[in-house]
Amino acid sequence: MAGELLLARAAVQAALATEGVHSMGRGRYVEAATYEGNEKVTGVVVNPDEVEIHIVARYPLPKPIPEITRSIIERVVPQAGDRKITVIVEDLEVAAS
């Protein structure tokens, strides 16, 4: 389980370091988070077979959404092992003009 929490933290850092990501998502109907004891990493769900990364993208987009998600996946792959990585774009944050 400690490995899952470390992976979740690494995925958050990778997502937030990606151009076009405004913040981590929280989940639509169920909270998107990884838990261990009384610790929680919001925005990433780590399962034995998959890592779900929930983001809010910044608008206007610096590049197309598929490129943003691909960048996140490339950053997380080294830590994810054999797990499938899914990036879920929950919303867009529109910059004030």
Side-chain angles (χ1 to χ4, degrees):
M1 190 76 153
E4 291 178 357
L5 206 57
L6 292 174
L7 175 54
R9 285 189 197 118
V12 167
Q13 288 178 343
L16 293 176
T18 302
E19 183 183 19
V21 174
H22 176 271
S23 62
M24 299 307 295
R26 296 180 181 205
R28 277 279 195 223
Y29 304 106
V30 178
E31 183 177 38
T34 300
Y35 302 89
E36 181 185 332
N38 58 355
E39 226 179 309
K40 172 173 79 170
V41 177
T42 303
V44 179
V45 180
V46 177
N47 294 312
D49 299 325
E50 182 179 23
V51 179
E52 285 183 13
I53 303 168
H54 295 250
I55 65 163
V56 175
R58 179 174 288 116
Y59 188 87
L61 298 167
K63 52 188 170 184
I65 288 176
E67 289 182 32
I68 294 170
T69 60
R70 194 170 24 258
S71 294
I72 295 169
I73 291 168
E74 288 171 358
R75 292 172 189 242
V76 176
V77 160
Q79 292 89 15
D82 293 335
R83 292 177 172 98
K84 174 185 171 189
I85 301 170
T86 304
V87 177
I88 299 159
V89 181
E90 292 185 2
D91 206 350
L92 295 174
E93 179 69 24
V94 179
S97 15

